[in-house]
Amino acid sequence: MRRSVLIIGAGLMGALYDGPGDGKVLSHAHAFASSPDHRLLGFIDSDAQKARQACGIWGGKPYADVHEAPKADIYSIAVPDRLHYEVLTETLKRDPSLILLEKPVATSHDELDSLRLMARQVRTPILVNHGRRFIEYYSYLRGKVVNGEYGQFIHGTGYYGKGILHNGSHMVDLLFYLFGRDVGAAASWPKREAADDGALIGIEGILWGMDDHSPDDPSVAALLGVAGGRFALIPVDSGKVTIFEMDLLFEKKRVKLLDGGMKAEEYDLNESSAYFGHRNYVRSSGTEMDLSESLNGAVRNITAHLDGDAPLLCPILDGMRTLETCLRIKDAYHGLGLGAPD
């Protein structure tokens, strides 16, 4: 059975980053249109021209409002960050089989508190698009870290830009995913409480910040305590360069995640060939990932969940935990008088 899909938001992420003939799958529309398990009904957008443009590329019909459109099995939300919570709550009233929600899940403490209350009542499973969770290499890496094969985590650094909520949430979520004890275990909201590792990431210091995205979502430099080690979260002006890179140092391994997290380099810790008593990280392997695997993986996870109750790889509770940590980083930055108050 092909499940029907409506995409809410006909902008870049929803529809316009790519087209049907492109080699890379970059938009929600491309991922669902390429899936044999789904049938795209159209697009919902308050901008009628964008909705028509998206339909001209991908098919389906344009709609101005979720309540004007026919009911679909799946709703895929790709609206601006500030609208995520509002559109989610309206979409839940349609009682769909599943919702795919762009990150962050909300943008304020009030919205997060409301989501917590909602989680006690809502039965609709919600998958959050923290896309690296859907890429096979990251599942492999998580297994190595959680099973202790790389030894104790020592230190790490991460470079990002365009807002602690907008893009920084990807990095914070990835830390939870790699080091957390119970990530992605829920098939839907009511089946468990939030994972018991909310204190996994602690804020040890705020260094600086910049408004390269918006005053309400600054990019913040923070020193974090993570899984017994330290991680430096470092922002880079997104107006000058787009970057997402991590460098993770363990007792037995070093892992570099480069090129937006689509390239991985692993290093073994070996005795120095030149200096007695010294040990160095020496590159041992490299992995190239396909960016298309992210959204394609999310759509496959949706199918597997609805067909057989397989767990969602990033359920809403995990997205809420990531948001809470990012909001605490943002609050600490504003609390030091380094940026505009909320």
Side-chain angles (χ1 to χ4, degrees):
M1 180 184 67
R2 298 176 71 200
R3 295 184 176 92
S4 58
V5 179
L6 278 167
I7 296 175
I8 307 176
L12 294 174
M13 196 68 199
L16 304 181
Y17 263 137
D18 54 5
D22 293 350
K24 296 291 184 184
V25 176
L26 304 178
S27 67
H28 290 225
H30 199 169
F32 281 110
S34 301
S35 169
D37 302 311
H38 299 93
R39 176 171 54 93
L40 186 58
L41 298 182
F43 296 84
I44 301 169
D45 201 299
S46 58
D47 187 327
Q49 182 177 353
K50 276 189 177 180
R52 287 194 298 269
Q53 181 183 2
C55 291
I57 298 170
W58 299 106
K61 295 183 179 181
Y63 303 96
D65 182 84
V66 66
H67 299 291
E68 171 191 308
K71 186 175 179 180
D73 298 313
I74 297 166
Y75 291 83
S76 192
I77 299 175
V79 296
D81 295 359
R82 69 183 186 279
L83 299 177
H84 286 183
Y85 170 79
E86 176 186 344
V87 172
L88 175 62
T89 53
E90 286 302 306
T91 305
L92 284 168
K93 295 175 183 177
R94 305 288 282 176
D95 193 27
S97 299
L98 185 142
I99 293 173
L100 174 61
L101 175 65
E102 270 300 323
K103 53 72 203 168
V105 298
T107 57
S108 72
H109 288 288
D110 287 344
E111 291 176 346
L112 180 58
D113 289 343
S114 180
L115 283 177
R116 289 194 178 102
L117 294 174
M118 197 183 301
R120 301 172 185 172
Q121 306 169 3
V122 171
R123 299 293 167 180
T124 299
I126 300 169
L127 180 66
V128 181
N129 188 28
H130 282 299
R132 291 163 188 83
R133 293 195 184 209
F134 309 116
I135 296 175
E136 185 177 355
Y137 173 79
Y138 284 97
S139 175
Y140 155 85
L141 180 59
R142 168 176 158 76
K144 295 292 187 181
V145 173
V146 170
N147 292 331
E149 295 183 44
Y150 291 171
Q152 178 66 38
F153 176 60
I154 303 172
H155 295 307
T157 57
Y159 296 95
Y160 80 103
K162 206 171 183 181
I164 184 63
L165 302 183
H166 185 72
N167 276 350
S169 62
H170 274 310
M171 192 158 287
V172 170
D173 180 78
L174 190 52
L175 292 172
F176 273 122
Y177 182 62
L178 294 178
F179 294 99
R181 294 189 296 274
D182 187 29
V183 180
S188 60
W189 291 28
K191 294 194 176 182
R192 70 170 168 92
E193 297 298 323
D196 185 26
D197 53 8
L200 177 75
I201 299 177
I203 303 170
E204 298 192 358
I206 299 296
L207 307 176
W208 73 86
M210 64 185 72
D211 293 339
D212 67 326
H213 183 48
S214 77
D216 291 329
D217 187 9
S219 296
V220 180
L223 182 62
L224 307 177
V226 178
R230 287 188 171 87
F231 185 88
L233 189 66
I234 302 174
V236 181
D237 188 346
S238 61
K240 297 178 180 177
V241 62
T242 298
I243 189 169
F244 185 97
E245 294 185 356
M246 297 175 75
D247 191 358
L248 304 172
L249 278 64
F250 299 86
E251 288 178 319
K252 301 176 183 179
K253 280 275 192 177
R254 179 180 188 177
V255 180
K256 290 184 178 181
L257 303 170
L258 309 169
D259 293 350
M262 294 299 108
K263 178 188 292 184
E265 295 179 354
E266 296 193 20
Y267 297 73
D268 291 332
L269 189 60
N270 296 331
E271 295 293 332
S272 173
S273 60
Y275 296 101
F276 177 76
H278 290 260
R279 294 186 296 169
N280 308 119
Y281 289 113
V282 179
R283 180 172 171 173
S284 56
S285 65
T287 303
E288 298 274 353
M289 288 156 264
D290 184 351
L291 185 58
S292 299
E293 194 178 346
S294 177
L295 275 168
N296 281 340
V299 170
R300 286 195 298 269
N301 186 217
I302 288 170
T303 299
H305 174 74
L306 293 177
D307 282 351
D309 203 31
L312 294 179
L313 293 177
C314 191
I316 186 74
L317 289 174
D318 291 342
M320 290 162 61
R321 180 183 51 186
T322 291
L323 173 63
E324 180 178 20
T325 300
C326 291
L327 286 172
R328 288 195 291 112
I329 293 171
K330 173 188 165 184
D331 291 346
Y333 170 69
H334 285 149
L336 292 175
L338 299 176
D342 290 332

